[in-house]
Amino acid sequence: MNVNEKDALSLLTKYNADHFHLRHALTVKEVMAHFARGLGYEEEADFWAMVGLLHDVDYEQFPEEHCKKAPELLAEIDAPDALTRAVVSHGWGICADVEPEHTMEKVLYATDELTGLIYAYAIMRPSGSVQDMKLKSLKKKFKDKKFAAGVDRDTVIRGADMLGWELDDLLSRTMAAMAETEDAVVEQLASLTAEK
């Protein structure tokens, strides 16, 4: 059983109106689907995408209850237990005690904060895009704790370790996923905000 995208988007926009939060949700959705296909989980790509889309469903309105309020909200669309568990697990060690176990949960944990940092860097670049971003320059931004200071670098590093990947590998794979899906995210965001 999976959540259909229409219901997922309806739930997302019910509890989220901020442009940045909506863009982040769509970005993580596309990044998760990209990783599912690349890691041999092609048949689960839609499920991975819905986990990405809804991972922060409770954050905008209930920041103090992040990952604790999510199960209640996800129940509104009869989200399966596996989706709810995955959403909660991305807050492991921060605001939840559910440890990522499945590869999908580990990918979400590893890429959530990182996509925020990559996007923050993209919008300050002349192109405003991830598509011409280089790993070397991204690494400099990652090491600069003053840049996108709200991004928890330790979570990203722990996520890479969970997956058994070098940090550079996680950075380059996530950057490539965002570059490949950037146009789709922009298109979806325009459609979503036009409906409001």
Side-chain angles (χ1 to χ4, degrees):
M1 176 194 166
N2 198 3
V3 171
N4 72 61
E5 189 166 349
K6 185 180 177 186
D7 288 347
L9 286 168
S10 178
L11 186 71
L12 178 71
T13 54
K14 179 178 178 180
Y15 292 103
N16 293 268
D18 182 82
H19 181 272
F20 175 81
H21 291 154
L22 293 173
R23 172 141 191 166
H24 177 65
L26 292 167
T27 297
V28 178
K29 169 194 171 223
E30 292 298 329
V31 165
M32 290 295 290
H34 181 274
F35 272 103
R37 293 188 292 270
L39 295 172
Y41 294 91
E42 178 81 37
E43 292 178 5
E44 296 175 35
D46 289 345
F47 180 71
W48 285 43
M50 289 306 97
V51 169
L53 183 69
L54 295 170
H55 78 286
D56 277 346
V57 68
D58 62 358
Y59 185 74
E60 186 173 318
Q61 289 193 22
F62 309 98
E64 300 303 315
E65 297 176 80
H66 184 38
C67 293
K68 295 177 179 67
K69 191 78 172 173
E72 180 186 326
L73 307 187
L74 292 168
E76 294 181 25
I77 56 169
D78 296 320
D81 290 345
L83 190 149
T84 302
R85 186 196 188 285
V87 164
V88 173
S89 76
H90 92 277
W92 180 63
I94 305 160
C95 57
D97 57 7
V98 176
E99 185 173 353
E101 292 176 356
H102 186 280
T103 302
M104 175 262 293
E105 296 172 344
K106 294 175 183 178
V107 169
L108 177 63
Y109 185 86
T111 60
D112 175 31
E113 293 277 318
L114 182 53
T115 59
L117 183 140
I118 293 172
Y119 177 65
Y121 180 36
I123 60 175
M124 66 172 281
R125 303 177 74 247
S127 67
S129 172
V130 182
Q131 293 176 11
D132 57 351
M133 191 179 286
K134 300 287 185 264
L135 177 61
K136 186 177 178 182
S137 54
L138 176 60
K139 283 169 69 174
K140 283 183 185 173
K141 293 299 180 188
F142 187 85
K143 289 174 183 172
D144 178 3
K145 300 285 172 66
K146 290 178 185 171
F147 177 76
V151 172
D152 186 343
R153 271 80 167 165
D154 291 339
T155 297
V156 177
I157 293 165
R158 275 195 303 272
D161 288 343
M162 271 184 207
L163 289 162
W165 298 352
E166 293 295 327
L167 179 60
D168 280 10
D169 193 21
L170 176 62
L171 294 176
S172 60
R173 286 184 186 213
T174 306
M175 185 176 63
M178 287 180 68
E180 190 173 303
T181 61
E182 187 175 64
D183 292 341
V185 169
V186 170
E187 193 176 300
Q188 290 173 59
L189 184 62
S191 173
L192 202 57
T193 51
E195 291 169 14
K196 295 185 117 185

